[in-house]
Amino acid sequence: MKLVPLGDKIVLKQLEAEETTKSGIVLPGQAKEKPQEAEVIAVGPGGNIDGKEVVMQVKVGDKVIYSKYAGTDVELDGEEYIIVKQNDILAIVE
């Protein structure tokens, strides 16, 4: 199966959380903070959303930082994805 976002929606795959801190302390599974960095898997077409022209500014393969509590978590074929609006993306990581 394949997720195809509509309108200004974007499908993200969250990047793995860090296993150790910068000082070398190994974190147990529960102590890991959910990262806000993800890879773009699919991008909606944009277009006229709520009377405003929306041009999509990200593309498949981009690494992005998104708002902490943004989006909807979805599981498909054993993989976890997050569907967010383009407004919830804060930056592209280059």
Side-chain angles (χ1 to χ4, degrees), residues 1-92:
M1 264 197 271
K2 181 174 151 182
L3 286 172
V4 180
L6 303 175
D8 66 339
K9 305 294 189 296
I10 299 167
V11 178
L12 302 175
K13 181 160 179 59
Q14 194 169 36
L15 298 177
E16 293 297 316
E18 291 292 323
E19 301 276 335
T20 58
T21 63
K22 290 180 182 177
S23 61
I25 299 171
V26 177
L27 297 173
Q30 296 168 335
K32 291 184 225 171
E33 188 170 323
K34 181 178 173 184
Q36 291 171 257
E37 193 172 342
E39 181 179 354
V40 176
I41 301 300
V43 179
N48 195 349
I49 311 295
D50 295 330
K52 298 177 186 174
E53 185 64 30
V54 175
V55 177
M56 302 307 281
Q57 297 178 351
V58 296
K59 61 187 180 308
V60 173
D62 282 350
K63 296 217 182 327
V64 297
I65 296 175
Y66 61 95
S67 296
K68 192 165 196 148
Y69 300 107
T72 302
D73 294 331
V74 176
E75 187 172 327
L76 183 67
D77 294 336
E79 295 284 334
E80 292 185 15
Y81 301 99
I82 305 162
I83 300 175
V84 299
K85 288 185 174 186
Q86 181 168 256
N87 291 348
D88 293 329
I89 293 184
L90 306 174
I92 296 174

